[in-house]
Amino acid sequence: MKTTTTKHWLWSLPVVALLGLLSYGCSSNGELGSSAEAAQQVYVAPGEHDEFYGFFSGGYNGQLGVYGLPSGRHLFTIPVFSQAAVNGYGYSEETKAMFQTTDGFVPWGDAHHPELSQTNGETDGRWVFINENNTPRIARIGLDDFKTQEIIEIPNSAGNHASSFVTPNTEYVSAATRFSIPMDEEDLSNMDVSIDTYKENFKGTISFIKVNEEGKMNIDFQIMMPGFNYDLSHAGKGPSDGWSFFTSYNSEQANTLLEINASKNDKDFIAAINWEKAAEYAREGEGKVIPGKHYRNYIDHEEGGIAKSELIEEVRVLDPRELEGLVYFLPTPKSPHGVDVDPTGQYIVAGGKLSTVIPVHSFAKMEEAIANENFEGEVMGIPVLNYDSILHGEVQNPGLGPLHTEFDGNGYAYTTAFISSEIVKWDIEKTEVVDRIDVYYSPGHLMIPGGDSQNPDGKYLVALNKITKDRYLPTGPEMFHSAQLIDISGDKMKLLLDFPTEGEPHYAQGITADKVIKEQKRYYDLSENGHPRATTSEKQTRVERDGNEVHVYMTTIRSHFTPDNIEGIKVGDEVYFHVTNLEQDWDVPHGFAIKGANNAELLIMPGETLTLKWEPKKVGVFPFYCTDFCSALHQEMSGYIRVSPANSSTEITYGTGQ
Amino acid sequence: MKTTTTKHWLWSLPVVALLGLLSYGCSSNGELGSSAEAAQQVYVAPGEHDEFYGFFSGGYNGQLGVYGLPSGRHLFTIPVFSQAAVNGYGYSEETKAMFQTTDGFVPWGDAHHPELSQTNGETDGRWVFINENNTPRIARIGLDDFKTQEIIEIPNSAGNHASSFVTPNTEYVSAATRFSIPMDEEDLSNMDVSIDTYKENFKGTISFIKVNEEGKMNIDFQIMMPGFNYDLSHAGKGPSDGWSFFTSYNSEQANTLLEINASKNDKDFIAAINWEKAAEYAREGEGKVIPGKHYRNYIDHEEGGIAKSELIEEVRVLDPRELEGLVYFLPTPKSPHGVDVDPTGQYIVAGGKLSTVIPVHSFAKMEEAIANENFEGEVMGIPVLNYDSILHGEVQNPGLGPLHTEFDGNGYAYTTAFISSEIVKWDIEKTEVVDRIDVYYSPGHLMIPGGDSQNPDGKYLVALNKITKDRYLPTGPEMFHSAQLIDISGDKMKLLLDFPTEGEPHYAQGITADKVIKEQKRYYDLSENGHPRATTSEKQTRVERDGNEVHVYMTTIRSHFTPDNIEGIKVGDEVYFHVTNLEQDWDVPHGFAIKGANNAELLIMPGETLTLKWEPKKVGVFPFYCTDFCSALHQEMSGYIRVSPANSSTEITYGTGQ
């Protein structure tokens, strides 16, 4: 199999040259209104609040960034798929289970597409979902406390990219394999076969994860698919509610040098999935239930917020070769990336990254073509519809490398052009470009608050640019990615602000602040703390030995720990500090750190209990202290623990006495 | 030892009540100039750059944040003391050694005080130092590539808080024990004694770390000190160059309930250290060299940027009981926190957090008192100077809970008042308050670019507030801390902007952008890549088996990996992917991720080689892919690796052929 090739190099030269020219040619600031006016528009005076929350994927940092708009200020980062030193997420005993997978403890994830929950096709401010691409998972974050509540693993998948898009009433979040893998037809298990048997053996799956009223997720069914690469998705809405659309590339089914070999076909496919029918099939017991081990990890609020892992053994699989009307293929030029459904639900827009047009499919025409069986062929039992019969129109001159589209609710669509570094505004009915603006540089996704829902808020657009270069003071070879805020309230787009974003924001979602639930928590109610090792008053604090395990039941309140002097610990012990923060007020966390801990500190919110495991390896007296400057006497908030030799006979003593 | 007490509760009530009243009473936005004017002042138009770099400690996240001023934009985070999922720092094979300590692998740190290197008392833009409080360490970050270059451990210390402040020519960075511990007088080893023998056995140390021209750190000497808590520090300058000043609290030597028991004495001490004399003693071989194991971890640039660990066995200790003229104590009211030396080097200002005045010591008077032996007594051989004899003056009505002071270079000092939530501007010569401004809420440190050097840039001041509450859209119980930008160019301070800061910015440093070295790296030169497992061309790529170790020598360039199909790997193998990024252009990192890795991805800068260890546990074909959207065909940048059963006879094959 060992060969080398240089062909791809020559092939990609024009693209590289174009990219270079276009990126560097744009030295002006584009369509910037009066700078003074822009300054006013983005300024949020001290004491005032931003109008919108922006939830930005952290990409390869695995987390979810929270930004205020229009200021572009980085308000918070919610730890999701990666360990977070900042608060001990993924290090503390209570949170470790969030990273349980069938591959073991996976402390990192590649976060991609945040998606707000919806009711009646509108964002409702209950939850944000976000997918993990590398070890296929979907997380649900609660907007009551801005914490990750649940992470579910997706079996029979590799590369969970076309995820986590929701249906209009959050009935489902969907997921699909970006990378097909060899699957045994019987049980979809990953097979030990040669990679060059790709065309014969490799398959994909598309998964629908049911979301119940409390937000609990479970995989309702998976649909077996041809071995393409499934890239992005969006659910239908209005007339197209009940359907979901998934782009695919590599319909060539190449397994090597995809930059050349998966770029050959003039058209790849959008898979139109009738999820309503699929759900009906599933309810009726169609398809087959096969082994499909996967974990569902969740915060158990009944037990004081401890993360639990549940192993689920099986999954239901539907096969389009056996079940009619499940999937149709919409031919779409060329290597399509994004697929977006307009607010009316009538039009399905693809961003064909190597295409010279933006194709717009008509849902009504698609239904008609299905009814008339206007098929060009089929792949793995899936009918391929006739391109011309389903086309609403093609947007000409859309910029080079069109990727993603969002909508303003006023009849216009906005598409990012990666290679020509611009955003193109076009009329959906007429499929005609009406405005364009340069962005810096190479936008991937873009975001309009509600811009992929039935009710967009067409005031601002955020371009999520993949290349930063000279936009900010330089920070060496590595830098944050860059976003740009654009005013889309008038006929002409106006560039307002550049703001950096942590990690790689693939996609973002925005929502007016007043829609985020008003019952947001400011602290946890101590009287509802169900943690089995909580100490909800100083009187309950104690230190207990159980063999070589020592449990320290500790409290924090401004500005002391109870107990703050502990003796009788021995080298070789496993010491568990169960620290309860007794505060019942907003913004009074306490931290807990001790020298030599081979994990992180704890950052304990008011009313919460967290546990740090410490294995002392040396004799001596070790201080512990509060890591969060909590009060005027924060520096005094500390204590000591004495560690004696393993064979010492010192008994446990503890206290706060003088 | 087990007792309980409620006294402290009653005691702290007035403080709590005051804090509450003051925080909530300030509902207006304070001294805010015209909002439109402020908007103009902080707005950095797209394509333009901020005037200042701000380096903000991440506090309990362990990292160093980079912010642009005046925009307040979060430009970057430099991983220092904690694992960073974003680029695999602390997870990749090349970076793990940065976390080596005598307590083993410590993946988290509590970052406190960033300090820019200085030449002739001015910030010079070469390096930023920052201390770790929990496992005592100091890091040096290079401003050529914004990466952590070196981390040195401090032995015989617990709680490294009064650190990492530099002398005017960066001869030394200093460090001190925040928490004293029982030290054996012979070798300073941590003793297994009862905590209530504090007064008898507990000692502190102050350490001076020599910095050579390349930035390499080594501990030149430690000074043994009485068992107080050493809190903050600053070096002298101008006339006081050669001296360093360290605040202490808990001169009561209490070991429990410090919020009460360490708040009794009317005055604690500032320790004035004659480091020039100490260095001379050290050069002359004075003091004793004792065992003091500690690690120095550093990036070996000769070996392709691989982190190495060096174990150092000994340390020199000076004892003020034996060596005259080393240390003097300056009595200072009350539980002093910050200590700051004005730009002229004449005045030493303390922030006595329970003091009703700001005491200003005169360096000239201090020298005179020493010459005249105007002593009140001594502690552990250290003369205590007479308070009145060294006092320049006391600033009356400085706000409640004064903590830290910086200077504008125009004769004014600015002090944060934590409890009354304000910043107080005062005339240094007259020790009189001239202006005050409310901040929101509870400022700890403050920062003026160059504000602790001999040449401050008195344009902006940043208040680093410890309490956030309602300043931004809420993010549940946990939130970022808040900074506020204040215009100090006129007579009256003007509040311009609130901006959130990640983690807990204890302290920050600012510098005009043009002072940060112009030789900043945009990428690493491939021809200088000395990594022993680098593959600097696609022709060198290969896969080699060595027992159950498999080494994959891989390259990345837009938009493919070489090799991209690998077979012959077996369950139970240890697979090392050594990935070299062949790009030689600014801002073209590539990422590398593979399903089931129990660490993080790699984010590889142009010209760099990084290594990910992967232990496949399942049979099948697994995709790997680029995690950073690098090009129009980024989605195609992927490959497959086949894993066969442990007993399989499949041989290694690899390639990019068709």
Side-chain angles (χ1 to χ4, degrees), chain A residues 43 147 259 478 496 560, chain B residues 43 147 259 478 496 560:
Chain A
Y43 183 65
K147 299 277 182 204
E259 64 173 321
E478 191 177 338
L496 299 177
H560 61 274
Chain B
Y43 183 65
K147 300 277 181 201
E259 64 173 321
E478 191 177 337
L496 299 177
H560 61 274

Side-chain angles (χ1 to χ4, degrees), chain A residues 2-3 8 29 36 38-40 43 46-47 49 53 60 73-75 82-83 85-87 91 102-103 105 108 110 133-134 146-147 161 178-181 190 192-195 231 249 255-259 353 418 466 468-472 474-476 478-481 496 498 500 502 504 520-521 559-560 564-565 567 586-587 594-595 598-599 601 618-621 625 627-629 632 635-636 638 640 642 644-645 654 656-658, chain B residues 2-3 8 29 36 38-40 43 46-47 49 53 60 73-75 82-83 85-87 91 102-103 105 108 110 133-134 146-147 161 178 180-181 190 192-195 231 249 255-259 261 353 418 466 468-472 474-476 478-481 496 498 500 502 504 520-521 559-560 564-565 567 586-587 594-595 598-599 601 618-621 625 627-629 631-632 635-636 638 640 642 644-645 654 656-657:
Chain A
K2 167 80 175 162
T3 71
H8 59 285
N29 293 321
Q40 296 307 318
Y43 183 65
H49 284 182
Y53 282 100
Y60 44 68
R73 291 178 299 182
H74 183 193
L75 303 180
S82 298
Q83 288 181 310
V86 71
N87 61 6
Y91 294 100
T102 51
D103 292 309
F105 180 84
W108 172 83
D110 186 14
N133 186 42
N134 187 48
F146 281 60
K147 299 277 182 204
H161 196 272
R178 172 162 153 210
F179 305 112
S180 287
I181 44 174
N190 198 341
D192 174 27
V193 295
S194 178
I195 300 164
D231 206 359
Y249 62 102
N255 59 288
T256 185
L257 266 182
L258 264 58
E259 64 173 321
K353 59 191 186 250
F418 180 86
K466 298 296 187 184
T468 305
K469 293 195 189 272
D470 58 358
R471 301 305 290 178
Y472 308 102
T475 57
E478 191 177 338
M479 55 193 94
F480 277 9
H481 285 220
L496 299 177
D498 279 28
E502 199 174 16
E504 188 197 7
Q520 230 192 73
K521 285 193 175 68
S559 302
H560 61 274
D564 69 357
N565 279 198
E567 304 203 357
W586 191 13
D587 201 13
I594 185 160
K595 184 175 188 283
N598 299 114
N599 40 30
E601 49 127 37
K618 295 176 186 170
V619 159
V621 175
Y625 68 99
T627 54
D628 190 359
F629 207 103
Q635 289 294 89
E636 281 72 6
S638 61
Y640 285 108
R642 176 184 174 188
S644 299
Y654 55 96
T656 54
Q658 291 101 66
Chain B
K2 167 83 176 163
T3 71
H8 59 285
N29 293 322
Q40 295 307 317
Y43 183 65
H49 285 182
Y53 281 100
Y60 44 69
R73 292 178 298 182
H74 182 194
L75 303 180
S82 297
Q83 288 182 310
V86 71
N87 61 7
Y91 294 100
T102 52
D103 291 310
F105 180 85
W108 171 85
D110 186 14
N133 187 41
N134 187 48
F146 281 59
K147 300 277 181 201
H161 196 271
R178 173 163 153 208
S180 288
I181 44 174
N190 199 340
D192 174 28
V193 296
S194 177
I195 301 164
D231 206 359
Y249 63 103
N255 60 286
T256 184
L257 265 180
L258 264 58
E259 64 173 321
N261 297 322
K353 58 190 187 250
F418 179 87
K466 296 297 189 186
T468 305
K469 292 195 189 273
D470 58 358
R471 300 306 290 179
Y472 308 102
T475 57
E478 191 177 337
M479 56 195 94
F480 277 8
H481 285 221
L496 299 177
D498 279 29
E502 197 173 18
E504 187 198 6
Q520 231 193 71
K521 286 195 175 67
S559 302
H560 61 274
D564 69 357
N565 279 198
E567 306 204 356
W586 191 13
D587 201 13
I594 185 161
K595 184 175 189 283
N598 299 113
N599 40 30
E601 50 127 35
K618 293 177 186 170
V619 159
V621 175
Y625 67 98
T627 53
D628 189 359
F629 208 103
S631 61
Q635 289 294 91
E636 281 73 6
S638 62
Y640 284 107
R642 176 183 174 188
S644 300
Y654 55 96
T656 54

Side-chain angles (χ1 to χ4, degrees), chain B residues 528-600:
Chain B
E528 292 172 8
N529 182 329
H531 194 295
R533 298 191 190 263
T535 40
T536 55
S537 80
E538 291 190 356
K539 282 186 189 157
Q540 299 169 22
T541 60
R542 63 201 184 275
V543 181
E544 290 174 351
R545 176 178 287 284
D546 176 11
N548 76 330
E549 270 188 21
V550 177
H551 293 273
V552 179
Y553 298 86
M554 182 180 270
T555 60
T556 66
I557 197 161
R558 278 162 292 183
S559 302
H560 61 274
F561 294 97
T562 307
D564 69 357
N565 279 198
I566 301 167
E567 306 204 356
I569 308 301
K570 299 174 200 173
V571 170
D573 281 346
E574 287 182 2
V575 183
Y576 293 86
F577 295 95
H578 310 287
V579 189
T580 302
N581 182 350
L582 297 182
E583 308 280 355
Q584 291 288 270
D585 191 8
W586 191 13
D587 201 13
V588 199
H590 290 290
F592 177 84
I594 185 161
K595 184 175 189 283
N598 299 113
N599 40 30

